[in-house]
Amino acid sequence: LVVDANILYSVVLKTDGAVADVFFNTRPQLELCAPQLLRSELIRHRPRIAKQMDKTVAQVTEILDLLLHRVTFIEA
């Protein structure tokens, strides 16, 4: 399944939401992929995401680590 920026941002911003639940808890586990550029964008925007979530950049980095390990990133 190809995921876009909106889906990944949705999971990051609302880790207890319905999209995050599907993302992490669907069985059998979904095979997810996205362009490598999306990974770079998420990492680059950690400070803005942290501000939106009222969390530290370190906390957002932790969330992103969990999220990004679920996705296979491909060169586009």
Side-chain angles (χ1 to χ4, degrees):
L1 184 62
V2 177
V3 293
D4 70 358
N6 292 325
I7 297 297
L8 294 182
Y9 275 114
S10 186
V11 173
V12 170
L13 294 175
K14 190 158 178 146
T15 56
D16 62 344
V19 176
D21 186 49
V22 169
F23 193 87
F24 288 112
N25 299 318
T26 299
R27 298 289 182 253
Q29 203 170 46
L30 299 173
E31 292 182 39
L32 306 169
C33 63
Q36 182 64 33
L37 179 62
L38 184 51
R39 177 189 192 111
S40 302
E41 288 295 306
L42 284 169
I43 291 169
R44 186 170 63 110
H45 289 292
R46 284 178 299 176
R48 183 176 57 86
I49 295 168
K51 186 175 181 179
Q52 286 178 315
M53 295 177 70
D54 196 29
K55 299 203 179 286
T56 67
V57 173
Q59 290 171 313
V60 170
T61 299
E62 216 175 290
I63 294 166
L64 284 175
D65 284 345
L66 291 172
L67 172 76
L68 298 178
H69 279 94
R70 284 278 296 114
V71 179
T72 300
F73 290 93
I74 55 174
E75 292 295 324

